[in-house]
Amino acid sequence: AKTNINTNRMIRSASASPLVLLERLRQRQYSVDRLRRLYAQLVALVLYDNNNDSNDVEEDEMERRHWEEPQGPWSKLWSSMQQRKRRFHNKNKTINSSSSNDSTCKTTTRDPPLTAPPKQRRHHPRGIETAFLSMAANRTSEPTFPIRDVMSFESDHQNDDDEEDNDLRRAQREERRCVQLLSDISTVLTNAMGQQQQQAALHQRANDDDHHSNEGSAPTNQVFAYFGEKNILRLLLEMVRATPTSSSHHLRPVAWTAPVKAQALQTVAELVSSSYHAASSLYYVLSQDTLNQLVTDVLPLDQWTDPALEVLLPPYVDLLQAMALVLSDAPQLSCFFLQVPKEAEGETCFPLFSAILETTTSAYATSNSFVHSTCLNLLVDMMQISNSANNDHSNHITAIHDWIRDAVGHHQILAQHLCNILLARYRRMVNLCSGPVVDAIRSDALSAQWQGLREEVDSIWNDVLVDCAIRPLNVRLCEDFLSQVFCTLWKEVHEGYTSWKAVSSSPMTFPNDDEVEDGTTRPQQNLVFMSIGVLDADVIPEREAVAQVAVWVLATLLDRLRYRPLVRMLTVALLHPQTNATLWTNGSSATAANDDAYHFTPGLHQIAQGGTNDAELEDNFFRQFLFQTLAGDFGEWRAVAAAVLLEHVLLSPSMDADTLALVQLFPTPDHEDDQGCDLDRAVAKFLRRPHTLTSDVCTTAIECVSSLALHLLHKTVSLSLSRQHRSSDPSNVVGSSVPSLDSLRGLREARSFFFEKTLVAHSNTDNVACEDVFVDYMEAAVQNCYKRISLYGSADNSSSSSTRQRPSSRVHAYQLYQHSCAFHSTKSECLIRKHWSSRTSHAEEARWNAQMALHLRAVNNVASRFLEQTTAIQHTESSSVAKAPKLELLDRVGELEEIFGVFSSTPRIGSEIDLRFRSSFFCSSGMTGNQVSSALKELKDLRSMAAESSLIGSSTELSFVLDTVHLFVIRPTSTSKKVTSNESSRGIILCCIPLLNVIAAAMDGAWLHVAVRHDNVKSLIKNGNMALQFESAEISTMVRDDLNRSRRLLRHEVAQKLKTLLAYTRGDSRMENDKEMVTAEPLEEKKTDTEPGR
């Protein structure tokens, strides 16, 4: 303690500043001398023969101590401390040598007793090797122990448990010590690389300032020079290679353990990353081919134990990532990564790419999402190097591109792995989908799997197919995708279709003979089988889940894939009228017999060409199944997936006019009965069905099919205009194509069906209560559908600009995109719902019918407006430049705003209102003058308090004002209760309530209680109750009667307008001819000549 006190005093009195001392300490910590000491300790710990290295380090250490002897006031203290350390070191050395001699003499003259304490017995080398063998990272059975420096003892097998524990603890200590030494060496090297980069930058800057860039050289790095002199990189490689069965016995068993190997890999990875900007160091690291050997020796991964893989694989992936980063940024170094054989018969190897691919496809990487995603990104980076457009290194890039292009075996491995990923996710989705149709937990899990599928397609398939653009790899990916993924999904759908068809066509015998005589049978088409997935108590069987999820996966692939050839091949395989069923059924077995052969891409070419003598084509069952499902033959739950898949086909940017004509989805002008009308007929058939199951599944199905009908109309008009442009004799091609769309008539008939269903529920116009309910749920349905939105420029390009714009207008409109197939395709509730949704009461059924009526009204309005714009374009523009307008999926509130008035602007709270020509009654709400003042002060942002200060006063008198559509509570500006007709009477609005929101009114003497649907208003409305006090009970009765009369008249007027709106198409949908549909007149809502007055 006294020595430390004196040392601290002398350091404080020294002339050197603390910053200088810290800098000296940092230099010593990252100096070449410290690297010498660390390397000497590592050699002593790892290698058996380390005498020469340790002697060199001791000499260097003595030289360093002599050289670093400080000068200054505390040099004497430093010298005395060094002398004490030398005397202590020599004394210990003498004692150790004498004790070793004594023990040698004892062993030669007399054997030690076997019953001696364990701490007095010499440690057996065989015991610690056994401990290291139990900690080894490799899967070994018969190790080969090193012979040198190992003495055989007959008592090895007699070691007790305590000695084995001591051996294991000593092995663990040596392991930790070795890991720490490797970590310290890595830190010193990384710091040295950073200093070398800074010195090189300063040297280059100095040369640039002196205008002598070629004179002088950058200072050498002593740390890295010593690292290269001792060949430490080769030692790290040997440590990674060391196994109990290896032939190199100069390494101690401490190098067998997984943490030591992992730290060696991490050290090399940090060395590569830090030497990236130091050219000389990077060239040295790459020139010895050590990195290629290192990444190759770790493989195959099954040579390591499972606990060792958890430790080894993360640093190994870091090393691969560092090497890939170097190659990506410096393609001119590709000669160090490509191993060119010395003999002519050998093949060029790319160890880095092969190692990344094998690591990606390993079982452990598949179970570790981080490792798997990192390796996949590295593969994409490697393939994007070969597609780089850097002309400065075109020769090196060409070498990488040629190798990846010719690596057929690697193409097959990668393609098979990507297909297995898709199939594995498909199986997980099937397992989640099987079970009860209502389950929130399974629905959330299925949504996560769905999101993962979209991310895999976006980040893996699109990057490999589109961004890399290696044609042989793309062909192999398409072939394997068709042979593995598509064939599997095709078979699952085929088996599901077969089971559905068998069940729907089989008769069912009644169980009780007493109820039905003679065993009467009836078809099963309209029984429970048709409602699977619709009722909340349904259970989805496995076969049903397999087929449904297969259709959804195909729809997602058609939506997310951006590689046009693959999307077109998938579309032709699914929707072409002819197909080769044998190819899809036996395709996987044919591919397994010969992996190098291509079967499916030539098969699709034959299908597109109409078949040959070798390939017999038959009707495509998937096309028939898809159209039957869309028509609702297998239930409404299944129709959603079919509508989503077909809409993705229509909206895919990969679909051109030739491909759509090939699959025959649209009718031709000359042949209205051909196969091109199958899609149109299926949509119309579904829309004409009597939809009576009021559940969320039916709602989703109607919304998806109506959205498909709109896009079918838009695509038909676009193709017709393109044919008109290409034809030599321009004619009204649109007029000949649009009338043939049966789906338009189906939309109109579906709207009429739901309009009638809505009117039938409230056909009794004499019942006032029934009329009130009708108005209430229609108003709620309108407010739920039509929301206030902002339009930026126009409705269809609201997000056209990347910068945020100010909205040009705000309107109430119905956004059909939120009810389209594209919107529902991202929701897992189309398969598994989170909540119960069945509606059994008449009121809920009426609300559902009203909601569907408003939806189909909006769809027909959009179709009508689109046809009007198309007709206007044909008449105003020449046929050579005519282009179909954009489909605007937005329906403004229009006539409904005039009917209800809830969307129109209402008087602002705090503004003044004229009381003339309005029924006005003086009243009070029980508020004091201070409460009235506080209520008016809340309107400070609407009016100036200076103008209001003269109107507040001390009176608490209010006025109850009735309008034709509103109810007001105002603060009159005039205190006189007698107002003549010529006198201007005005007041400040405190509360404004639409009359449609008034539920009922009741009186209690002079008090009038009004039940309203309104937010709380301070001292006026609380929990939907407004209480006002009038001068007498007679006035209160008069106000109640006047309020009920105005409310009844308004509701009757709204009900009559609604019935007129809903009844204008009854019986008209099948009477109008096709030519009127071209001009979109039948889709317009006809307005009556006379409207009922208020």
Side-chain angles (χ1 to χ4, degrees):
K2 185 176 181 181
T3 303
N4 293 335
I5 293 173
N6 295 332
T7 304
N8 294 333
R9 289 177 180 176
M10 299 189 70
I11 289 176
R12 292 195 201 100
S13 62
S15 59
S17 63
L19 294 178
V20 174
L21 296 176
L22 290 175
E23 181 64 22
R24 290 179 181 176
L25 180 61
R26 193 189 67 82
Q27 290 179 359
R28 294 172 186 170
Q29 186 177 1
Y30 302 113
S31 63
V32 64
D33 300 315
R34 187 165 185 264
L35 180 61
R36 287 193 185 99
R37 295 195 302 272
L38 294 174
Y39 175 67
Q41 297 174 14
L42 180 64
V43 167
L45 187 62
V46 175
L47 298 180
Y48 281 109
D49 189 8
N50 57 354
N51 295 327
N52 296 331
D53 295 330
S54 61
N55 293 335
D56 295 340
V57 173
E58 288 180 359
E59 295 178 0
D60 295 338
E61 181 72 14
M62 296 301 296
E63 182 181 355
R64 185 196 65 80
R65 291 175 179 175
H66 176 73
W67 180 75
E68 289 186 357
E69 185 173 350
Q71 303 292 334
W74 48 291
S75 58
K76 295 182 180 180
L77 178 61
W78 178 273
S79 301
S80 61
M81 291 174 62
Q82 295 298 327
Q83 292 176 4
R84 291 180 182 178
K85 291 175 65 177
R86 290 192 188 97
R87 288 195 299 268
F88 182 76
H89 176 72
N90 296 332
K91 181 179 180 181
N92 290 341
K93 189 173 181 180
T94 304
I95 294 174
N96 292 335
S97 60
S98 61
S99 62
S100 62
N101 294 331
D102 295 339
S103 62
T104 305
C105 296
K106 290 180 182 180
T107 54
T108 55
T109 57
R110 182 181 176 184
D111 294 333
L114 297 177
T115 58
K119 62 181 181 180
Q120 296 179 1
R121 297 175 59 189
R122 180 179 175 181
H123 178 76
H124 302 163
R126 180 77 64 174
I128 195 172
E129 287 179 354
T130 305
F132 276 118
L133 181 61
S134 64
M135 300 164 56
N138 298 77
R139 302 179 187 269
T140 57
S141 57
E142 295 295 335
T144 304
F145 290 101
I147 305 297
R148 67 182 68 179
D149 295 340
V150 177
M151 299 178 61
S152 61
F153 292 90
E154 298 179 356
S155 59
D156 285 348
H157 63 280
Q158 298 180 1
N159 291 341
D160 52 4
D161 295 338
D162 294 338
E163 187 174 354
E164 291 179 1
D165 293 341
N166 293 334
D167 293 336
L168 183 60
R169 284 194 292 269
R170 180 183 175 188
Q172 291 175 351
R173 286 196 300 269
E174 291 186 6
E175 179 190 67
R176 289 193 296 269
R177 178 58 178 163
C178 186
V179 170
Q180 184 62 38
L181 288 174
L182 290 173
S183 178
D184 294 341
I185 291 175
S186 175
T187 304
V188 173
L189 290 175
T190 303
N191 185 268
M193 294 298 105
Q195 290 183 355
Q196 182 179 1
Q197 180 183 355
Q198 295 178 359
Q199 293 176 2
L202 294 175
H203 180 75
Q204 182 66 27
R205 187 180 304 174
N207 291 337
D208 293 340
D209 294 340
D210 297 339
H211 303 284
H212 299 289
S213 59
N214 296 328
E215 296 182 1
S217 60
T220 59
N221 192 336
Q222 297 180 0
V223 174
F224 194 80
Y226 184 80
F227 175 81
E229 177 185 354
K230 295 299 181 181
N231 204 0
I232 301 179
L233 186 60
R234 176 61 60 175
L235 175 61
L236 297 177
L237 173 63
E238 294 296 333
M239 293 175 64
V240 175
R241 285 179 173 178
T243 61
T245 59
S246 61
S247 59
S248 59
H249 301 309
H250 60 281
L251 292 178
R252 292 183 181 272
V254 69
W256 298 347
T257 60
V260 173
K261 296 179 183 296
Q263 187 58 46
L265 290 172
Q266 188 66 37
T267 302
V268 178
E270 294 178 359
L271 176 64
V272 175
S273 301
S274 59
S275 61
Y276 170 67
H277 296 286
S280 59
S281 303
L282 182 61
Y283 275 90
Y284 170 78
V285 172
L286 298 176
S287 61
Q288 294 184 342
D289 201 34
T290 306
L291 296 182
N292 291 330
Q293 298 177 18
L294 187 59
V295 298
T296 306
D297 291 338
V298 178
L299 303 175
L301 295 178
D302 55 1
Q303 65 176 319
W304 312 105
T305 60
D306 293 338
L309 270 179
E310 296 181 0
V311 181
L312 282 176
L313 210 52
Y316 181 65
V317 173
D318 291 342
L319 175 60
L320 297 177
Q321 189 173 8
M323 296 175 62
L325 179 62
V326 171
L327 183 58
S328 300
D329 293 344
Q332 68 274 13
L333 301 177
S334 61
C335 58
F336 296 110
F337 293 90
L338 294 175
Q339 291 181 342
V340 181
K342 297 181 180 179
E343 300 179 358
E345 293 80 6
E347 296 181 357
T348 303
C349 300
F350 193 1
L352 177 60
F353 188 88
S354 302
I356 295 175
L357 180 60
E358 186 170 351
T359 306
T360 304
T361 56
S362 63
Y364 180 79
T366 306
S367 61
N368 191 329
S369 59
F370 175 76
V371 173
H372 186 256
S373 60
T374 302
C375 293
L376 281 176
N377 292 331
L378 292 179
L379 279 178
V380 174
D381 293 340
M382 291 292 99
M383 290 184 288
Q384 287 179 351
I385 294 175
S386 61
N387 196 33
S388 177
N390 192 349
N391 296 326
D392 297 336
H393 310 292
S394 58
N395 296 331
H396 306 282
I397 294 175
T398 304
I400 300 176
H401 177 80
D402 294 342
W403 189 92
I404 297 178
R405 182 195 59 194
D406 299 335
V408 180
H410 292 74
H411 297 171
Q412 296 176 358
I413 295 174
L414 178 60
Q416 185 175 5
H417 178 68
L418 295 181
C419 293
N420 290 336
I421 293 176
L422 287 180
L423 290 177
R425 189 171 293 277
Y426 163 69
R427 296 300 179 190
R428 290 194 294 268
M429 295 174 68
V430 169
N431 294 334
L432 288 173
C433 188
S434 303
V437 74
V438 180
D439 192 338
I441 298 177
R442 288 171 44 242
S443 180
D444 293 337
L446 183 62
S447 178
Q449 292 295 329
W450 221 324
Q451 180 64 24
L453 175 63
R454 290 190 291 267
E455 291 177 357
E456 283 179 2
V457 175
D458 293 340
S459 61
I460 299 176
W461 284 84
N462 289 334
D463 289 345
V464 174
L465 290 171
V466 180
D467 298 338
C468 298
I470 301 176
R471 185 173 179 80
L473 176 60
N474 291 353
V475 174
R476 173 51 60 184
L477 279 173
C478 294
E479 178 72 16
D480 287 5
F481 176 82
L482 293 173
S483 64
Q484 298 183 31
V485 179
F486 177 74
C487 282
T488 301
L489 300 178
W490 195 88
K491 291 177 184 178
E492 302 289 359
V493 175
H494 185 271
E495 294 176 2
Y497 169 75
T498 305
S499 62
W500 290 343
K501 189 175 181 180
V503 174
S504 61
S505 60
S506 62
M508 183 187 71
T509 304
F510 289 94
N512 298 328
D513 296 335
D514 298 337
E515 298 179 1
V516 180
E517 298 180 357
D518 301 331
T520 305
T521 60
R522 63 180 180 182
Q524 199 180 359
Q525 293 181 356
N526 297 325
L527 298 180
V528 182
F529 171 77
M530 297 300 299
S531 63
I532 290 179
V534 177
L535 303 180
D536 293 334
D538 288 340
V539 176
I540 305 173
E542 183 180 1
R543 176 53 55 193
E544 176 77 12
V546 164
Q548 275 295 98
V549 174
V551 178
W552 278 105
V553 170
L554 289 173
T556 305
L557 293 174
L558 288 170
D559 179 40
R560 311 299 294 190
L561 284 174
R562 293 189 290 113
Y563 188 58
R564 295 190 175 186
L566 181 56
V567 176
R568 293 173 183 175
M569 285 190 288
L570 187 59
T571 304
V572 171
L574 290 175
L575 301 177
H576 195 274
Q578 303 293 324
T579 186
N580 187 353
T582 306
L583 179 65
W584 306 126
T585 305
N586 302 326
S588 57
S589 60
T591 304
N594 188 2
D595 294 337
D596 297 335
Y598 293 91
H599 301 277
F600 297 92
T601 48
L604 285 177
H605 180 70
Q606 293 176 359
I607 293 174
Q609 297 298 326
T612 60
N613 296 330
D614 299 334
E616 295 295 335
L617 301 182
E618 57 184 19
D619 292 339
N620 189 352
F621 104 89
F622 190 92
R623 178 188 174 98
Q624 299 174 1
F625 153 76
L626 198 64
F627 290 153
Q628 290 181 12
T629 306
L630 179 63
D633 294 343
F634 303 123
E636 295 180 344
W637 184 65
R638 304 172 182 88
V640 178
V644 170
L645 187 147
L646 289 169
E647 183 170 312
H648 287 334
V649 171
L650 297 182
L651 298 181
S652 176
S654 303
M655 292 292 104
D656 54 357
D658 297 334
T659 307
L660 292 175
L662 180 63
V663 296
Q664 301 180 21
L665 289 180
F666 302 95
T668 59
D670 300 331
H671 303 84
E672 296 187 1
D673 296 331
D674 58 359
Q675 294 180 344
C677 300
D678 292 343
L679 175 59
D680 182 54
R681 295 194 191 98
V683 173
K685 183 178 180 180
F686 179 86
L687 293 173
R688 289 192 177 100
R689 286 183 176 273
H691 304 283
T692 57
L693 297 174
T694 58
S695 67
D696 290 343
V697 176
C698 302
T699 304
T700 305
I702 294 173
E703 291 176 352
C704 290
V705 176
S706 60
S707 174
L708 177 61
L710 284 179
H711 290 289
L712 178 62
L713 171 64
H714 179 264
K715 206 69 177 181
T716 303
V717 172
S718 300
L719 293 178
S720 300
L721 290 176
S722 63
R723 286 197 302 267
Q724 179 182 0
H725 172 66
R726 290 180 294 181
S727 62
S728 58
D729 185 14
S731 59
N732 189 10
V733 183
V734 178
S736 60
S737 299
V738 175
S740 63
L741 289 180
D742 197 19
S743 57
L744 280 179
R745 291 187 289 271
L747 281 175
R748 191 173 168 79
E749 293 174 13
R751 180 184 61 178
S752 301
F753 172 79
F754 281 104
F755 280 3
E756 293 177 2
K757 294 284 291 183
T758 305
L759 289 175
V760 167
H762 300 282
S763 59
N764 188 5
T765 57
D766 298 334
N767 193 340
V768 178
C770 184
E771 189 177 66
D772 289 346
V773 172
F774 173 65
V775 173
D776 287 340
Y777 75 70
M778 284 298 298
E779 180 185 7
V782 171
Q783 291 182 353
N784 185 39
C785 294
Y786 290 85
K787 303 294 183 180
R788 188 174 180 86
I789 62 174
S790 299
L791 298 181
Y792 296 85
S794 61
D796 50 4
N797 58 352
S798 59
S799 60
S800 59
S801 177
S802 59
T803 59
R804 185 173 180 83
Q805 302 176 357
R806 297 185 61 183
S808 58
S809 61
R810 294 180 62 86
V811 297
H812 287 86
Y814 186 75
Q815 292 181 326
L816 286 176
Y817 174 78
Q818 297 182 355
H819 307 273
S820 63
C821 294
F823 181 80
H824 288 295
S825 64
T826 60
K827 298 169 59 179
S828 62
E829 293 190 8
C830 295
L831 290 175
I832 303 176
R833 296 192 296 275
K834 295 183 178 180
H835 309 287
W836 297 72
S837 62
S838 61
R839 303 175 177 89
T840 56
S841 63
H842 295 287
E844 292 178 348
E845 183 179 355
R847 292 190 185 96
W848 183 76
N849 290 329
Q851 180 183 354
M852 290 295 97
L854 292 175
H855 173 76
L856 290 170
R857 173 185 177 273
V859 171
N860 281 272
N861 290 344
V862 170
S864 172
R865 186 169 57 252
F866 172 74
L867 289 177
E868 285 182 351
Q869 295 174 358
T870 304
T871 305
I873 289 177
Q874 278 190 307
H875 289 99
T876 57
E877 299 183 3
S878 61
S879 59
S880 59
V881 296
K883 185 178 179 181
K886 187 175 181 180
L887 188 64
E888 182 182 351
L889 299 177
L890 197 68
D891 179 48
R892 292 172 175 80
V893 63
E895 190 177 0
L896 294 175
E897 181 178 1
E898 301 177 1
I899 294 176
F900 289 100
V902 295
F903 301 112
S904 58
S905 59
T906 58
R908 297 175 60 185
I909 304 299
S911 61
E912 291 186 356
I913 185 176
D914 192 357
L915 302 181
R916 292 178 297 178
F917 309 106
R918 290 185 172 90
S919 300
S920 177
F921 303 91
F922 285 100
C923 64
S924 63
S925 64
M927 291 191 302
T928 62
N930 294 331
Q931 291 176 340
V932 175
S933 301
S934 62
L936 288 175
K937 288 179 181 179
E938 293 179 357
L939 310 176
K940 183 178 181 180
D941 55 336
L942 302 176
R943 292 178 55 86
S944 174
M945 289 302 299
E948 294 178 359
S949 59
S950 60
L951 303 176
I952 295 176
S954 60
S955 175
T956 60
E957 294 294 336
L958 304 176
S959 291
F960 181 87
V961 181
L962 277 178
D963 199 353
T964 56
V965 292
H966 293 97
L967 181 154
F968 301 98
V969 176
I970 67 171
R971 169 73 168 85
T973 57
S974 176
T975 58
S976 176
K977 299 182 180 180
K978 297 180 180 180
V979 180
T980 62
S981 58
N982 297 328
E983 183 180 359
S984 175
S985 178
R986 306 183 67 83
I988 301 174
I989 300 177
L990 299 180
C991 180
C992 176
I993 305 173
L995 279 180
L996 291 177
N997 292 349
V998 177
I999 301 175
M1003 56 172 296
D1004 182 13
W1007 285 87
L1008 179 65
H1009 299 274
V1010 184
V1012 295
R1013 295 193 302 269
H1014 199 276
D1015 297 334
N1016 291 341
V1017 178
K1018 187 175 182 180
S1019 302
L1020 286 178
I1021 301 177
K1022 184 176 182 180
N1023 298 330
N1025 181 29
M1026 181 173 63
L1028 298 174
Q1029 184 181 11
F1030 295 89
E1031 294 180 351
S1032 62
E1034 291 77 7
I1035 297 179
S1036 177
T1037 304
M1038 186 186 306
V1039 173
R1040 182 198 63 183
D1041 296 340
D1042 197 0
L1043 177 61
N1044 290 335
R1045 187 184 307 108
S1046 300
R1047 173 179 170 274
R1048 190 178 306 111
L1049 288 175
L1050 178 61
R1051 285 182 170 268
H1052 179 72
E1053 178 184 356
V1054 171
Q1056 293 301 322
K1057 287 185 178 181
L1058 286 175
K1059 294 175 182 179
T1060 304
L1061 176 67
L1062 298 178
Y1064 78 93
T1065 56
R1066 297 181 65 178
D1068 296 340
S1069 59
R1070 297 177 178 85
M1071 296 175 58
E1072 298 176 352
N1073 54 23
D1074 294 338
K1075 293 299 180 181
E1076 292 177 341
M1077 297 184 67
V1078 181
T1079 59
E1081 293 179 0
L1083 296 175
E1084 286 289 336
E1085 294 182 355
K1086 299 178 181 179
K1087 299 181 180 180
T1088 56
D1089 297 336
T1090 59
E1091 296 183 357
R1094 296 187 182 275

